[in-house]
Amino acid sequence: MPDMSMQNELLSLSNHELTDLVRRLGHPAYRGRQVADAIFRQRRDSLAGVSNLPLALKSQIAHEGLSVGLPRIEQQFRSADGTVRYLMALADGQSVETVWMPEGDFGEAGDGSEAGQEELEQLDSTCKPKRTDKKMPGLKGSSASPTQVRSIARSRATVCVSSQVGCAVNCQFCLTALLGVKRNLTAGEIVGQVLGVLRDHAVNLERERMNIVFMGMGEPFLNYDNFIKAVRLLVEEVGFPESRMTVSTSGIVPRIFDFGQEPIRPKLAISLNAPNDTIREPLMPITRKWNIEALLDAARQFPLRPRELLTFEYVLLDGVNDAREHALEAARRVRGIRCKVNLIAFNPGPGVNYTMPFQDRVLEFQTVLADAGIPTFIRRPRGRDIYAACGQLKRTVS
Ligand code: SAH
Ligand code: SF4
């Protein structure tokens, strides 16, 4: 796909590249570090107010056509559960969505990381959220009232970022797919979403622990270079630990191999979503290119770190892939892989013709996998009321 993005934002440049830039403009190297500090640590949206930089340098940078490139928050929608969905405006008039979940959604639970451990502590021994009523709101067969808004536990907050404007993968259950793909995001636009949200919530990264999931709009592994550069910038310039980041792919097999070789990388989640090709292909046409066996082969060869678990995501669609035999078959398929499974109950939306699974089917599915020895968690739907949950990001504004 042609890269229509402009790459003229400072947020796409590392400290090293910023240093090269200021030197080329005739300034001492330490000015590069000052620019990096202003944009990545102080989260400035413009260099104008940065008093320790010389005016000459600021106007030379502007003259080069470079600006900070922090996306502008065009609109925000707040859910009853505290989730905020942001519509972020990009320099060329396109927009993407970024989501802030104050308490996470149990996506990292039990994945071997510190973030996963913190989420585990919020779950009871059956891997279900600790709560007074055990019903899962929003699922068929549940009479529970909507999740109560609790005090904001910021140490577990998660930012969900987009990697492309739209998505080309065309999964039939996903609202983002309806947009098609408009373009890739630059590294700076990916980093900028995180900084924009951290800025809006005045997060102090030295005191507060946060997670990032690359699970918003788009397929990160179809924008691999910009995605991985964004990861490096977040780790090296923003100061975000890689162990607190997770990327999800629909199964772009060659990139899974590349990703395994990266010296700095988030944890890996793979959207499995079906136990066999017959069910998966109509749901995820990408299966024709890389079938489940090719995908699981890449998963088997993936070089996990000590204690790390690979995550398989599985969207449960009523009457399609949520039967007991599907759970048994899925358990057989992933046997031998050091993994956990995250079950996601289908989040509905206009233009997508599936329905939410029944609560007892979701629980049975979890039990079958757990009985096969696979740690299995149910992702909490976050921000469904404002179209912020998994698969619902399609720039809805009303
Ligand atoms: N493109 C990547 C990451 C973004 S989607 C991927 O597909 O993996 C993040 C997760 O949301 C994926 O596991 C996807 O299968 C799931 N998802 C998509 N649409 C959904 C929907 N309508 N309801 C629930 N989950 C959905
Ligand atoms: Fe793209 Fe992921 Fe949606 Fe599939 S589920 S269309 S890969 S964003």
Side-chain angles (χ1 to χ4, degrees):
M1 186 180 46
D3 205 330
M4 312 278 286
S5 50
M6 288 172 288
Q7 303 270 11
N8 59 0
E9 65 289 302
L10 296 169
L11 283 177
S12 281
L13 303 179
S14 64
N15 182 15
H16 191 81
E17 290 165 321
L18 289 168
T19 302
D20 287 349
L21 171 74
V22 299
R23 286 168 88 159
R24 182 166 60 74
L25 298 174
H27 295 265
Y30 74 91
R31 296 291 186 196
R33 168 56 29 231
Q34 287 178 320
V35 174
D37 188 67
I39 63 176
F40 292 113
R41 305 273 172 164
Q42 298 171 37
R43 303 167 193 157
R44 302 284 190 131
D45 55 2
S46 146
L47 294 184
V50 183
S51 54
N52 62 356
L53 288 176
L55 268 176
L57 175 59
K58 292 184 208 175
S59 61
Q60 282 168 300
I61 289 176
H63 197 72
E64 295 272 311
L66 292 163
S67 59
V68 174
L70 193 73
R72 187 173 51 81
I73 297 177
E74 190 170 288
Q75 263 184 294
Q76 46 179 294
F77 307 86
R78 197 169 289 270
S79 162
D81 66 25
T83 300
V84 185
R85 177 167 66 93
Y86 292 90
L87 198 60
M88 299 282 198
L90 308 174
D92 65 347
Q94 288 290 356
S95 58
V96 286
E97 303 205 327
T98 313
V99 180
W100 157 271
M101 293 174 277
E103 300 185 88
D105 65 354
F106 297 118
E108 358 274 323
D111 67 7
S113 69
E114 197 187 326
Q117 189 54 36
E118 285 159 17
E119 294 212 326
L120 265 189
E121 285 156 15
Q122 307 291 318
L123 297 168
D124 67 18
S125 58
T126 62
C127 302
K128 293 173 193 110
K130 280 181 189 159
R131 38 186 302 141
T132 41
D133 72 63
K134 293 283 176 63
K135 296 279 175 64
M136 291 180 280
L139 286 189
K140 286 203 257 180
S142 162
S143 58
S145 54
T147 315
Q148 215 187 316
V149 186
R150 281 181 279 165
S151 62
I152 294 176
R154 306 241 308 196
S155 67
R156 299 176 52 245
T158 297
V159 182
C160 176
V161 299
S162 295
S163 53
Q164 298 181 301
V165 183
C167 187
V169 179
N170 202 20
C171 304
Q172 296 298 298
F173 45 78
C174 174
L175 269 74
T176 306
L178 300 173
L179 295 173
V181 65
K182 305 278 188 278
R183 69 167 171 88
N184 282 333
L185 296 186
T186 64
E189 288 169 334
I190 298 173
V191 172
Q193 292 171 66
V194 176
L195 293 175
V197 172
L198 296 184
R199 196 169 112 128
D200 195 44
H201 289 268
V203 173
N204 177 344
L205 279 181
E206 270 154 31
R207 288 209 317 262
E208 300 172 65
R209 285 165 303 171
M210 307 267 319
N211 303 320
I212 296 177
V213 294
F214 298 90
M215 299 189 187
M217 295 166 73
E219 169 48 61
F221 283 9
L222 290 180
N223 183 19
Y224 188 81
D225 293 346
N226 291 331
F227 152 71
I228 212 75
K229 177 149 198 208
V231 167
R232 288 202 199 114
L233 293 170
L234 286 164
V235 172
E236 289 167 356
E237 314 300 344
V238 180
F240 219 105
E242 61 187 317
S243 62
R244 290 191 161 269
M245 299 180 192
T246 304
V247 62
S248 172
T249 179
S250 56
I252 312 298
V253 168
R255 295 291 87 76
I256 295 177
F257 286 105
D258 294 340
F259 185 65
Q261 301 309 310
E262 295 292 345
I264 296 177
R265 65 156 177 86
K267 296 170 287 179
L268 177 63
I270 295 177
S271 299
L272 184 61
N273 294 343
N276 58 54
D277 292 334
T278 312
I279 297 178
R280 194 173 192 262
E281 202 181 297
L283 299 176
M284 300 180 73
I286 191 98
T287 311
R288 287 199 285 275
K289 198 150 188 187
W290 295 288
N291 64 18
I292 292 192
E293 201 33 55
L295 185 55
L296 292 181
D297 194 44
R300 271 181 222 106
Q301 293 182 51
F302 191 75
L304 291 165
R305 302 182 180 127
R307 292 188 21 248
E308 184 182 4
L309 300 187
L310 201 149
T311 298
F312 286 108
E313 290 150 300
Y314 194 108
V315 180
L316 289 163
L317 308 165
D318 178 40
V320 175
N321 64 355
D322 65 340
R324 182 181 171 79
E325 66 260 27
H326 299 142
L328 286 164
E329 192 179 356
R332 281 197 301 277
R333 295 303 290 255
V334 304
R335 185 177 296 147
I337 302 176
R338 222 167 76 210
C339 70
K340 54 166 278 211
V341 171
N342 275 351
L343 300 175
I344 315 173
F346 171 66
N347 293 309
V352 177
N353 290 324
Y354 295 98
T355 47
M356 282 187 283
F358 284 92
Q359 165 163 299
D360 41 358
R361 296 268 268 206
V362 177
L363 295 176
E364 185 186 26
F365 209 95
Q366 180 187 34
T367 305
V368 170
L369 287 167
D371 287 350
I374 302 157
T376 305
F377 303 86
I378 300 169
R379 290 256 288 268
R380 274 194 307 185
R382 303 278 79 189
R384 258 188 192 158
D385 53 342
I386 53 155
Y387 283 99
C390 295
Q392 288 189 314
L393 303 183
K394 64 146 203 172
R395 307 193 289 190
T396 306
V397 291
S398 52

